[in-house]
Amino acid sequence: MTDILVPPTAASLSSFVEAGVFGPTEVHLVATLAGSAHESDPTVLLGAALAARAPLHGSVCIDVASVADTVVSSLREPVDVAATGTADEAGPDDADFDDDTTYQQPGDATSDAPDLDALDWPDPQRWLEALAGSDLVEVVPDGSEEPVLAGDGLLRPLVLDHGRLYLSRYWHLERLVATDLRSRTEPPSADSAGVIADPESVAASVQALFEHAAARTGTPVDPHQLTAAQAVADRNLVVVAGGPGTGKTTTVARLLAGIVAASPGARATSAVERIALAAPTGKAAARMTEALRLAISVLKPDLDAELVEALSKLEAVTIHRLLGTRGAGFWHGPQNPLPHDIVIIDEVSMVSLSLMAHLLAAIRNDAKVVLVGDPHQLASVEAGTVLGDVVGVRGSSGEATPPAGVAPSVRPLATVHRQAEGSAILDLAAAIRGGRADEVMEILADTTRDDVRWVDAVAAGVNGTAATAEHVGGPGDRSSVVSASQGAHVDRLGGQAQGSLYEVGLGAPLIDQERVALHRARLDAVRAEIFTAATTAVRAASHGPDDDEHLNRALDAIESVKVLCAMRIGDTGVDRWNRDVDDHLRAARLITRGDWYAGRPAMVTENDYVNQVFNGDVGVSVPVPGTVTDGSVPDRYRVVFRRMEENKVVEAVRLDRVVTQWAMSIHKSQGSEFPHAVVVLPPPPARILTRELLYTGVTRAKDRLTMVASEDSIRAAVDRPVARASGLAARLS
C-alpha cells in the first residue's frame, strides 16, 4: 500500500501507484499535463508517467513495446541507486547515493507485493497509436530523424521516436550527443589540425615511445595500446575502452607525449597548455592526475627534460570545473567554447547523458576528444549509458560491438597487464561480463586457485541467518535453508515463508556440518585478516605524523585489505563491517569510545577544494605531537592522505565530512584497487544486485579476492545486467 495522494485528473494511474510503480513526481506531472492539455486518454497519461519515471531509474526513455516487462515495483524490490540520487556540481559520486538505503530483508516487503502483470497494461500497438495522436506528443516518422510538428506553435513535452517515448529534454540531449559524436568520427579537415600539424610525425613519435619502453622492459609492444594511441593523430574522436589493468593510462600518457614530442620547438610547451584533462568526480580527477604523472615519469629516458616537466604539470579537474559551473548551467558552451585543442575525459562510464551533452557542446568542432573508461563498470547515477552505448556492450553476451557510426573511433584494450596469465580474478571477471553464471560458480568453488576464495554467506551464517541447514551438495544445489531465528522455511529466491520442517512433520533438517564449518572458517580467516590490518594501522599510526616508516606502515595497512559492500546499511552493509572492526579494536583495548583514534581510516564524503581532498579520498589519522589523544576530540588528530609526490596532511578538525572506512561501498570503490578485496553481497531479492555491480567489485582486487555471498545472490547479480532504455546506440548505427 502507498499513501501517495492521487489527484482526480491522474486517477487512471491509481492501480500503478498502489503497485509501487509511480511516486509523487510522476503523479503530479501527469495531473498537470492532464489539466493543462485536457488530455484524458489513460494510455497517453500512463506513457507520460513512465517517460517521467525513466530518468529517475537511469533510463533515457521507455521502449513502449517492452516496458511492461522491465518495470519493477518499489514495493517488491527497493529502489536502487539510480533512483535515489542527484549529482551535485562536483560529479555523481559526491551525493549520498552510493548504495541502497531503503533495502529490506527478504520477506519484509515482498510477501504481499503486487503482481505487475495483473495491471492494466495497454496493447503496445494501440498504445503507440494513441500516443501518436495525442497533443502531448511530437512524432518522429519512420525513416526520419526529425519530428512532425503540428504547426500550432505548442510545446509538446513528449517525443515518440521509433517506438521509444522520451521526455522532450532527453530526446534533444540524446540527439545532440549522437550528432556530435558522429561528426567527430569523420577524419579532420586539413585546416583543423590543432596541435597536430603533421599526423604522420605524431604516429611515428608515439610508436617510438612504445618501442623504447618495450626494449627497456623486455616486454612486447601491446598492439591495442599502440593503435589506440596513434588513432588520435588522424581522428578527432578516440574512445579508449578497457578493463582494469589493460593500460588505459599508459596509452593516454604515450599519446600525449607523442603529440608534444612531435611538436616543433616552443610549440611543444604551448601544446601542453592547450590540453585539458577531466573526470566526472574530484576523486577520479585526482587519481587521473597522479596516474598520468607516474606514467609520464616512466618516459623520462625518451623525452626532453623540459617536455617531461611540462607534461607533469598537467592536472585533471572535474568536468563541472572544466565547464565552469554558473548557476544551473555552465560558463562554457556553444557560444563560448573551451580553448583547448585536446580534451581527455577519464572514467566516462560515470558520465551521464546530460553531462556528456553539455561537455561535447562546449568543445570546439576541430578539437580532439579522447574518451577513456571501462564500459562494463557501473553506469552513471543519472540517466544514460553513454560509454556502453558508444562501445556497444548492451548485449547479454558481454561482447562489445560498436555502432557503425562511431566504430572507426573505438579502440578497445584487451590484454590485462595487472594480473598474471591464468589469474582466477581475470577468469571470474570475464565470466561475469559474459553473464555465464555456471562458470562463475565453478571458478568460485575451485579450491586449487589461491587468488579467489568464496565464502557462502548462508553456510557461514551471514545475512543475519544462522546456518542451521545448508546445501547438501556444492554449487548448483538450490535447496532452501531453515532459519534458526525465524523457525521457518525460507525460499531465498521468492522470499516466501512456509512452515518449518518440524511443523510440517518431516523431522529434523539435513545439515552438512562439514560445509558449514568450512565456510565459517573462511569467514573467520577474512575477519582475522581485516582485524590484523586494523591493529597494525592503529599501532603504527600511534607514532605520530613525523615517523615516516610507521606512517607508511599505517597507510599500507588500511589499504591492504578492503571490504566492498553493495549497500551501506543492513547485515551485509558498510556500517555493519565498520562497526565490527571498531568493536574489535575496543575489545582489544587499542582504542576508546569516540569516532577519532590513531589509525582510523578517514574517508572524505564531500569534495573539499579548500583542503584539496575529494569525495572518496582515504587518509589515516595520527595524533598531533605533544597532545593526549582523545577519541571524542578531533583537534588532537591530523589526517594524512597518500600522494605520489608528497603526502597531504590536513588537521582533522578541518574535515567535517568524513567517515570511518574499513569497509566502503562498491560504488565508491570505482577506479581504486586493493591487494585484497572482500566483496559482500546482500541476499536476494535486492534490485542493487546487477552484473555491473559484481564486475566492478571483483575487478577492484589486484592480488586476491574473497566473495562473501550466497549462490543465489551471485547468480542473481550475474543474470541481471543493468536494463537502461536508451536510443543512443541506434542513433550511432
Side-chain angles (χ1 to χ4, degrees), residues 105 461-469 481-490 492 571:
Q105 294 286 357
V462 187
N463 303 345
T465 301
T468 57
V481 302
V482 171
S483 168
S485 60
Q486 296 176 353
H489 181 113
V490 179
R492 286 289 177 186
D571 293 323

PDB file of all heavy atoms in Angstrom, residues 105 461-469 481-490 492 571:
ATOM      1  N   GLN A 105      15.210  -6.783   4.268  1.00  0.00           N
ATOM      2  CA  GLN A 105      15.495  -8.207   4.174  1.00  0.00           C
ATOM      3  C   GLN A 105      14.334  -8.917   3.477  1.00  0.00           C
ATOM      4  O   GLN A 105      13.187  -8.485   3.545  1.00  0.00           O
ATOM      5  CB  GLN A 105      15.679  -8.801   5.577  1.00  0.00           C
ATOM      6  CG  GLN A 105      16.901  -8.274   6.312  1.00  0.00           C
ATOM      7  CD  GLN A 105      18.193  -8.853   5.755  1.00  0.00           C
ATOM      8  OE1 GLN A 105      18.180  -9.682   4.868  1.00  0.00           O
ATOM      9  NE2 GLN A 105      19.311  -8.403   6.285  1.00  0.00           N
ATOM     10  N   GLY A 461      26.579 -18.251   7.888  1.00  0.00           N
ATOM     11  CA  GLY A 461      25.683 -17.572   8.816  1.00  0.00           C
ATOM     12  C   GLY A 461      25.679 -16.070   8.679  1.00  0.00           C
ATOM     13  O   GLY A 461      25.344 -15.354   9.618  1.00  0.00           O
ATOM     14  N   VAL A 462      26.066 -15.551   7.513  1.00  0.00           N
ATOM     15  CA  VAL A 462      25.987 -14.113   7.258  1.00  0.00           C
ATOM     16  C   VAL A 462      24.536 -13.788   6.919  1.00  0.00           C
ATOM     17  O   VAL A 462      23.697 -14.676   6.830  1.00  0.00           O
ATOM     18  CB  VAL A 462      26.937 -13.715   6.103  1.00  0.00           C
ATOM     19  CG1 VAL A 462      27.004 -12.205   5.922  1.00  0.00           C
ATOM     20  CG2 VAL A 462      28.328 -14.256   6.365  1.00  0.00           C
ATOM     21  N   ASN A 463      24.233 -12.528   6.698  1.00  0.00           N
ATOM     22  CA  ASN A 463      22.886 -12.058   6.342  1.00  0.00           C
ATOM     23  C   ASN A 463      21.899 -12.180   7.502  1.00  0.00           C
ATOM     24  O   ASN A 463      20.695 -12.190   7.309  1.00  0.00           O
ATOM     25  CB  ASN A 463      22.294 -12.818   5.140  1.00  0.00           C
ATOM     26  CG  ASN A 463      23.177 -12.719   3.918  1.00  0.00           C
ATOM     27  OD1 ASN A 463      24.067 -11.874   3.882  1.00  0.00           O
ATOM     28  ND2 ASN A 463      22.945 -13.574   2.948  1.00  0.00           N
ATOM     29  N   GLY A 464      22.400 -12.323   8.716  1.00  0.00           N
ATOM     30  CA  GLY A 464      21.510 -12.355   9.857  1.00  0.00           C
ATOM     31  C   GLY A 464      20.778 -13.664  10.017  1.00  0.00           C
ATOM     32  O   GLY A 464      19.836 -13.770  10.785  1.00  0.00           O
ATOM     33  N   THR A 465      21.206 -14.715   9.298  1.00  0.00           N
ATOM     34  CA  THR A 465      20.540 -16.007   9.383  1.00  0.00           C
ATOM     35  C   THR A 465      21.528 -17.065   9.837  1.00  0.00           C
ATOM     36  O   THR A 465      22.555 -17.255   9.212  1.00  0.00           O
ATOM     37  CB  THR A 465      19.965 -16.417   8.012  1.00  0.00           C
ATOM     38  OG1 THR A 465      19.047 -15.413   7.592  1.00  0.00           O
ATOM     39  CG2 THR A 465      19.253 -17.748   8.103  1.00  0.00           C
ATOM     40  N   ALA A 466      21.231 -17.740  10.914  1.00  0.00           N
ATOM     41  CA  ALA A 466      22.106 -18.809  11.385  1.00  0.00           C
ATOM     42  C   ALA A 466      22.021 -19.987  10.436  1.00  0.00           C
ATOM     43  O   ALA A 466      20.951 -20.346   9.958  1.00  0.00           O
ATOM     44  CB  ALA A 466      21.696 -19.250  12.787  1.00  0.00           C
ATOM     45  N   ALA A 467      23.157 -20.615  10.169  1.00  0.00           N
ATOM     46  CA  ALA A 467      23.203 -21.719   9.206  1.00  0.00           C
ATOM     47  C   ALA A 467      22.853 -23.024   9.894  1.00  0.00           C
ATOM     48  O   ALA A 467      23.701 -23.840  10.190  1.00  0.00           O
ATOM     49  CB  ALA A 467      24.582 -21.798   8.568  1.00  0.00           C
ATOM     50  N   THR A 468      21.576 -23.241  10.195  1.00  0.00           N
ATOM     51  CA  THR A 468      21.159 -24.489  10.827  1.00  0.00           C
ATOM     52  C   THR A 468      20.863 -25.566   9.811  1.00  0.00           C
ATOM     53  O   THR A 468      20.701 -26.719  10.154  1.00  0.00           O
ATOM     54  CB  THR A 468      19.899 -24.254  11.673  1.00  0.00           C
ATOM     55  OG1 THR A 468      18.878 -23.715  10.837  1.00  0.00           O
ATOM     56  CG2 THR A 468      20.190 -23.271  12.786  1.00  0.00           C
ATOM     57  N   ALA A 469      20.753 -25.166   8.547  1.00  0.00           N
ATOM     58  CA  ALA A 469      20.648 -26.148   7.477  1.00  0.00           C
ATOM     59  C   ALA A 469      21.325 -25.572   6.263  1.00  0.00           C
ATOM     60  O   ALA A 469      21.339 -24.379   6.069  1.00  0.00           O
ATOM     61  CB  ALA A 469      19.179 -26.442   7.162  1.00  0.00           C
ATOM     62  N   VAL A 481      17.016 -23.038   3.064  1.00  0.00           N
ATOM     63  CA  VAL A 481      17.611 -23.223   4.373  1.00  0.00           C
ATOM     64  C   VAL A 481      16.567 -22.988   5.442  1.00  0.00           C
ATOM     65  O   VAL A 481      15.534 -22.392   5.201  1.00  0.00           O
ATOM     66  CB  VAL A 481      18.796 -22.248   4.598  1.00  0.00           C
ATOM     67  CG1 VAL A 481      19.844 -22.442   3.555  1.00  0.00           C
ATOM     68  CG2 VAL A 481      18.302 -20.820   4.636  1.00  0.00           C
ATOM     69  N   VAL A 482      16.857 -23.461   6.654  1.00  0.00           N
ATOM     70  CA  VAL A 482      15.981 -23.219   7.787  1.00  0.00           C
ATOM     71  C   VAL A 482      16.614 -22.173   8.670  1.00  0.00           C
ATOM     72  O   VAL A 482      17.767 -22.274   9.053  1.00  0.00           O
ATOM     73  CB  VAL A 482      15.747 -24.508   8.580  1.00  0.00           C
ATOM     74  CG1 VAL A 482      15.011 -24.207   9.864  1.00  0.00           C
ATOM     75  CG2 VAL A 482      14.943 -25.484   7.735  1.00  0.00           C
ATOM     76  N   SER A 483      15.890 -21.129   8.971  1.00  0.00           N
ATOM     77  CA  SER A 483      16.402 -20.044   9.803  1.00  0.00           C
ATOM     78  C   SER A 483      16.140 -20.349  11.264  1.00  0.00           C
ATOM     79  O   SER A 483      15.006 -20.556  11.674  1.00  0.00           O
ATOM     80  CB  SER A 483      15.706 -18.728   9.425  1.00  0.00           C
ATOM     81  OG  SER A 483      15.969 -17.749  10.382  1.00  0.00           O
ATOM     82  N   ALA A 484      17.217 -20.343  12.043  1.00  0.00           N
ATOM     83  CA  ALA A 484      17.057 -20.592  13.475  1.00  0.00           C
ATOM     84  C   ALA A 484      16.336 -19.440  14.141  1.00  0.00           C
ATOM     85  O   ALA A 484      15.601 -19.619  15.102  1.00  0.00           O
ATOM     86  CB  ALA A 484      18.433 -20.793  14.115  1.00  0.00           C
ATOM     87  N   SER A 485      16.553 -18.226  13.617  1.00  0.00           N
ATOM     88  CA  SER A 485      15.945 -17.062  14.260  1.00  0.00           C
ATOM     89  C   SER A 485      14.449 -16.972  13.964  1.00  0.00           C
ATOM     90  O   SER A 485      13.680 -16.462  14.764  1.00  0.00           O
ATOM     91  CB  SER A 485      16.643 -15.784  13.777  1.00  0.00           C
ATOM     92  OG  SER A 485      16.516 -15.665  12.377  1.00  0.00           O
ATOM     93  N   GLN A 486      14.031 -17.481  12.776  1.00  0.00           N
ATOM     94  CA  GLN A 486      12.629 -17.362  12.411  1.00  0.00           C
ATOM     95  C   GLN A 486      11.877 -18.675  12.587  1.00  0.00           C
ATOM     96  O   GLN A 486      10.657 -18.687  12.651  1.00  0.00           O
ATOM     97  CB  GLN A 486      12.511 -16.919  10.946  1.00  0.00           C
ATOM     98  CG  GLN A 486      13.096 -15.528  10.701  1.00  0.00           C
ATOM     99  CD  GLN A 486      13.046 -15.174   9.231  1.00  0.00           C
ATOM    100  OE1 GLN A 486      12.704 -16.002   8.397  1.00  0.00           O
ATOM    101  NE2 GLN A 486      13.378 -13.950   8.912  1.00  0.00           N
ATOM    102  N   GLY A 487      12.605 -19.803  12.629  1.00  0.00           N
ATOM    103  CA  GLY A 487      11.954 -21.102  12.733  1.00  0.00           C
ATOM    104  C   GLY A 487      11.067 -21.383  11.546  1.00  0.00           C
ATOM    105  O   GLY A 487      10.037 -22.019  11.652  1.00  0.00           O
ATOM    106  N   ALA A 488      11.448 -20.866  10.383  1.00  0.00           N
ATOM    107  CA  ALA A 488      10.622 -21.033   9.192  1.00  0.00           C
ATOM    108  C   ALA A 488      11.476 -21.433   8.016  1.00  0.00           C
ATOM    109  O   ALA A 488      12.655 -21.148   7.954  1.00  0.00           O
ATOM    110  CB  ALA A 488       9.887 -19.725   8.876  1.00  0.00           C
ATOM    111  N   HIS A 489      10.837 -22.103   7.080  1.00  0.00           N
ATOM    112  CA  HIS A 489      11.480 -22.494   5.835  1.00  0.00           C
ATOM    113  C   HIS A 489      11.409 -21.280   4.904  1.00  0.00           C
ATOM    114  O   HIS A 489      10.331 -20.824   4.571  1.00  0.00           O
ATOM    115  CB  HIS A 489      10.705 -23.679   5.253  1.00  0.00           C
ATOM    116  CG  HIS A 489      11.271 -24.199   3.971  1.00  0.00           C
ATOM    117  ND1 HIS A 489      11.845 -25.432   3.879  1.00  0.00           N
ATOM    118  CD2 HIS A 489      11.348 -23.654   2.737  1.00  0.00           C
ATOM    119  CE1 HIS A 489      12.227 -25.647   2.629  1.00  0.00           C
ATOM    120  NE2 HIS A 489      11.932 -24.575   1.924  1.00  0.00           N
ATOM    121  N   VAL A 490      12.583 -20.749   4.491  1.00  0.00           N
ATOM    122  CA  VAL A 490      12.610 -19.521   3.708  1.00  0.00           C
ATOM    123  C   VAL A 490      13.126 -19.799   2.315  1.00  0.00           C
ATOM    124  O   VAL A 490      14.225 -20.316   2.145  1.00  0.00           O
ATOM    125  CB  VAL A 490      13.506 -18.454   4.387  1.00  0.00           C
ATOM    126  CG1 VAL A 490      13.539 -17.186   3.544  1.00  0.00           C
ATOM    127  CG2 VAL A 490      12.990 -18.148   5.777  1.00  0.00           C
ATOM    128  N   ARG A 492      14.876 -18.485  -0.588  1.00  0.00           N
ATOM    129  CA  ARG A 492      15.741 -17.323  -0.779  1.00  0.00           C
ATOM    130  C   ARG A 492      15.459 -16.572  -2.072  1.00  0.00           C
ATOM    131  O   ARG A 492      15.880 -15.438  -2.219  1.00  0.00           O
ATOM    132  CB  ARG A 492      17.212 -17.767  -0.775  1.00  0.00           C
ATOM    133  CG  ARG A 492      17.722 -18.130   0.596  1.00  0.00           C
ATOM    134  CD  ARG A 492      17.861 -16.880   1.441  1.00  0.00           C
ATOM    135  NE  ARG A 492      18.277 -17.200   2.781  1.00  0.00           N
ATOM    136  CZ  ARG A 492      18.363 -16.324   3.751  1.00  0.00           C
ATOM    137  NH1 ARG A 492      18.024 -15.072   3.541  1.00  0.00           N
ATOM    138  NH2 ARG A 492      18.759 -16.683   4.945  1.00  0.00           N
ATOM    139  N   ASP A 571      22.720  -6.130   7.491  1.00  0.00           N
ATOM    140  CA  ASP A 571      23.691  -7.101   7.994  1.00  0.00           C
ATOM    141  C   ASP A 571      24.894  -7.271   7.083  1.00  0.00           C
ATOM    142  O   ASP A 571      25.944  -7.731   7.529  1.00  0.00           O
ATOM    143  CB  ASP A 571      23.015  -8.458   8.192  1.00  0.00           C
ATOM    144  CG  ASP A 571      21.975  -8.426   9.303  1.00  0.00           C
ATOM    145  OD1 ASP A 571      22.220  -7.734  10.305  1.00  0.00           O
ATOM    146  OD2 ASP A 571      20.920  -9.068   9.157  1.00  0.00           O
TER     147      ASP A 571
END
